Amino acid sequence: MRIPFTKMHGLGNDFVVLDGRNGSLPAMSPPVAKALADRKTGIGCDQLIMLEPSDAADFRMRIFNADGGEVEACGNASRAVALLHGQPARVETSGGVIALEPLDGGARVDMGTPRFGWEDIPLAYAMDTASMPVSWESLENPAAVNVGNPHVIFFVEDPYAVELDRLGPLIETDPLFPARVNVNVASIADGAITLRVWERGVGLTRACGTGACATAVAAIAHKGVTSPVTVHLPGGDLEIAWEQGGTILMTGPATTSFTGSFEWSDFAGDAT
């Protein structure tokens, strides 16, 4: 069975998008998603995105990280899907229903309402999520926010001085986070945020849309930052707007890289 795909990216965070909104795609599994995401033997991507029919919205978006694990939300992929769809839409995700609006060269996404309760992150036990009484070496007292998926945010002097490639996986898999966690290190200067992200199931990425949302929310809620705020990521900039009690609006670019197709049995047969 030949399957068409679209390769897309948002600020260098790249995706393979499979469009099955007509119900035509075979069932996805973590091994097949991992095989397709492999950059040496597959198509290669940070996330595999599947579009499917939905009874709750215009269509459903499923998100598989490069390790094959299915996750709840992806901000950059949401902008890419908005560009692919070409008109405003409500989209069902495992993290809730979001709203997409394509713009010239990108999209605006309503990511929904952030959650701050320790059980919503989730954490293994109750604690203050505005300034968690925990540390990993020099990284201490993070904030925690769920924006459809779980994030911890460390505000530091220089995000690029942090050994995030070493500390990120330690924090991601700490027993404190039963669903694992995305790890953000950020600094604030001149009303803007500089951010690096260790993404759960992916690793260091050039951009993470939900990380930008979670970090902006934490900065606005706890650090006196004014909305909207520009978030500088290694791959480029996003604008995040959020008011207390409201939903998060993320605006930024998305790009189609190329299209192609693959034989399903080449990946489904040997995926382990």
Side-chain angles (χ1 to χ4, degrees), residues 29-119:
S29 68
V32 174
K34 182 178 180 180
L36 287 166
D38 191 288
R39 295 191 183 277
K40 290 184 170 60
T41 60
I43 301 170
C45 60
D46 291 325
Q47 281 93 14
L48 175 74
I49 309 300
M50 287 191 70
L51 306 183
E52 299 178 342
S54 171
D55 294 328
D58 294 310
F59 55 91
R60 180 187 184 196
M61 178 172 70
R62 297 177 66 195
I63 305 150
F64 295 84
N65 278 342
D67 67 354
E70 187 168 4
V71 296
E72 306 90 340
C74 180
N76 288 325
S78 300
R79 297 197 314 278
V81 168
L83 190 69
L84 182 69
H85 185 61
Q87 59 186 11
R90 295 175 69 255
V91 179
E92 178 187 0
T93 74
S94 296
V97 176
I98 61 175
L100 314 178
E101 180 187 358
L103 306 172
D104 288 342
R108 179 181 299 110
V109 181
D110 185 330
M111 296 291 292
T113 304
R115 293 177 288 165
F116 302 94
W118 69 270
E119 68 279 10

Side-chain angles (χ1 to χ4, degrees), residues 2-205:
R2 201 79 190 165
I3 305 294
F5 69 87
T6 303
K7 183 70 183 291
M8 309 185 78
H9 75 89
L11 299 180
N13 182 197
D14 63 332
F15 321 102
V16 171
V17 183
L18 308 183
D19 191 351
R21 286 176 288 182
N22 60 1
S24 62
L25 291 177
M28 182 57 64
S29 68
V32 174
K34 182 178 180 180
L36 287 166
D38 191 288
R39 295 191 183 277
K40 290 184 170 60
T41 60
I43 301 170
C45 60
D46 291 325
Q47 281 93 14
L48 175 74
I49 309 300
M50 287 191 70
L51 306 183
E52 299 178 342
S54 171
D55 294 328
D58 294 310
F59 55 91
R60 180 187 184 196
M61 178 172 70
R62 297 177 66 195
I63 305 150
F64 295 84
N65 278 342
D67 67 354
E70 187 168 4
V71 296
E72 306 90 340
C74 180
N76 288 325
S78 300
R79 297 197 314 278
V81 168
L83 190 69
L84 182 69
H85 185 61
Q87 59 186 11
R90 295 175 69 255
V91 179
E92 178 187 0
T93 74
S94 296
V97 176
I98 61 175
L100 314 178
E101 180 187 358
L103 306 172
D104 288 342
R108 179 181 299 110
V109 181
D110 185 330
M111 296 291 292
T113 304
R115 293 177 288 165
F116 302 94
W118 69 270
E119 68 279 10
D120 296 321
I121 302 304
L123 304 178
Y125 48 88
M127 67 175 67
D128 177 14
T129 62
S131 181
M132 297 166 59
V134 295
S135 64
W136 291 264
E137 298 181 15
S138 62
L139 295 179
E140 57 186 9
N141 303 120
V145 184
N146 188 306
V147 291
N149 57 6
H151 287 264
V152 287
I153 304 99
F154 298 89
F155 290 100
V156 300
E157 185 174 341
D158 179 7
Y160 287 90
V162 175
E163 293 182 81
L164 194 54
D165 55 342
R166 181 176 63 85
L167 293 173
L170 297 178
I171 301 169
E172 174 194 348
T173 58
D174 192 287
L176 177 59
F177 307 106
R180 298 189 294 165
V181 75
N182 299 283
V183 184
N184 304 264
V185 291
S187 63
I188 301 169
D190 301 322
I193 297 169
T194 298
L195 174 64
R196 295 174 69 213
V197 183
W198 175 271
E199 192 165 349
R200 177 185 58 168
V202 177
L204 288 173
T205 57

Side-chain angles (χ1 to χ4, degrees), residues 223-249:
K223 299 294 183 180
V225 169
T226 301
S227 174
V229 59
T230 298
V231 180
H232 304 300
L233 295 135
D237 294 349
L238 293 173
E239 183 181 271
I240 310 298
W242 177 71
E243 301 293 341
Q244 296 276 356
T247 60
I248 308 165
L249 294 178

